[in-house]
Amino acid sequence: MEATALCIPLLMDVLMLLVAHIQHGYLQSPVSDAAFRIVPTRLQLFEYESVHLTCEGFNISAGCRVRTIKELMSTCSNDSVTSTVTCTIDFAFPSDSGEYWCEAGGGQRSNTVNITVTTGSVVLESPALPVMEGDAVTLRCRTKSTPFSSRITNFYKDGRLVGSSPTGNLTIERVFKSHNGRYKCNIPGAGESPESCLAVTEEKYDGSVTQSEDSNTHLIDRTGEVKLQFTRIIMCMEY
């Protein structure tokens, strides 16, 4: 009994030290008012088209770059006014398809986006970043060289038909978690687009946050208090 009584205060002291150490580590970390992310102008494009990839939410004095698994992008420009870096592929080839992300000083790494360059005749234009639950989303089917006709365009989610349109556009007035998935479009007589992911975020926390980590981890508000992040991102699975 005496040993047990002695252990309990010791355990409490250890826990308090651990909490203090964690909070000190968080407060010493670089703080940014904006999420560090990569924003592409499009996820799908035809061969020989261009795409811009912009890094946002980092300390521009520390430097930033866009890279893929294979290489760093070299054609980039800095904007000190908006604190962004934009890299460009002027004439894209199918070999440029793949994952892209931003890397900043201090080992920071942004989200990853998947760019698809196709030699086909149809692409799908969809949100490049996750959308908030309840927002309106429009998917657009675009052909390579011919003006869009009144032919019916079919839209698919995870391989299943979810809608048809004579305008080439499909609007979801309010997106929910059930809309998360991989989408493509098909224009009879013209062709079918590659697939792109539509990801939906479910916002559960409405505090003043200056630093975040991955989903379902700790946050620090402006008072330095450790809070839990109640934002859950429902991401598409890569097949």
Side-chain angles (χ1 to χ4, degrees), residues 85-158:
V85 169
T86 299
C87 299
T88 302
I89 302 175
D90 290 313
F91 299 96
F93 295 94
S95 59
D96 292 313
S97 298
E99 294 184 343
Y100 290 77
W101 64 89
C102 299
E103 289 183 350
Q108 284 184 296
R109 174 170 168 165
S110 73
N111 60 305
T112 300
V113 293
N114 199 342
I115 304 296
T116 302
V117 183
T118 179
T119 57
S121 55
V122 177
V123 295
L124 176 69
E125 295 181 348
S126 61
L129 298 176
V131 296
M132 289 294 299
E133 191 173 22
D135 286 351
V137 171
T138 298
L139 306 176
R140 296 181 175 87
C141 207
R142 182 166 65 93
T143 57
K144 187 172 186 178
S145 56
T146 58
F148 190 84
S149 66
S150 58
R151 287 177 293 184
I152 294 296
T153 301
N154 299 314
F155 293 85
Y156 297 84
K157 173 183 175 288
D158 299 328

Side-chain angles (χ1 to χ4, degrees), residues 124-216:
L124 176 69
E125 295 181 348
S126 61
L129 298 176
V131 296
M132 289 294 299
E133 191 173 22
D135 286 351
V137 171
T138 298
L139 306 176
R140 296 181 175 87
C141 207
R142 182 166 65 93
T143 57
K144 187 172 186 178
S145 56
T146 58
F148 190 84
S149 66
S150 58
R151 287 177 293 184
I152 294 296
T153 301
N154 299 314
F155 293 85
Y156 297 84
K157 173 183 175 288
D158 299 328
R160 301 182 63 179
L161 181 67
V162 292
S164 300
S165 168
T167 64
N169 299 339
L170 178 68
T171 298
I172 305 171
E173 297 295 341
R174 290 174 60 86
V175 292
F176 298 98
K177 291 181 292 182
S178 58
H179 291 112
N180 182 72
R182 301 189 66 85
Y183 288 79
K184 64 181 179 180
C185 63
N186 178 282
I187 303 175
E192 184 172 276
S193 75
E195 289 185 327
S196 280
C197 173
L198 176 64
V200 182
T201 65
E202 180 185 341
E203 188 64 44
K204 292 294 186 183
Y205 179 74
D206 190 24
S208 178
V209 175
T210 58
Q211 178 176 326
S212 66
E213 289 189 330
D214 295 332
S215 298
N216 302 320

Side-chain angles (χ1 to χ4, degrees), residues 30 36 58-59 62-65 103-109:
F36 181 38
F58 66 97
N59 184 352
C64 187
R65 54 191 180 180
E103 289 183 350
Q108 284 184 296
R109 174 170 168 165

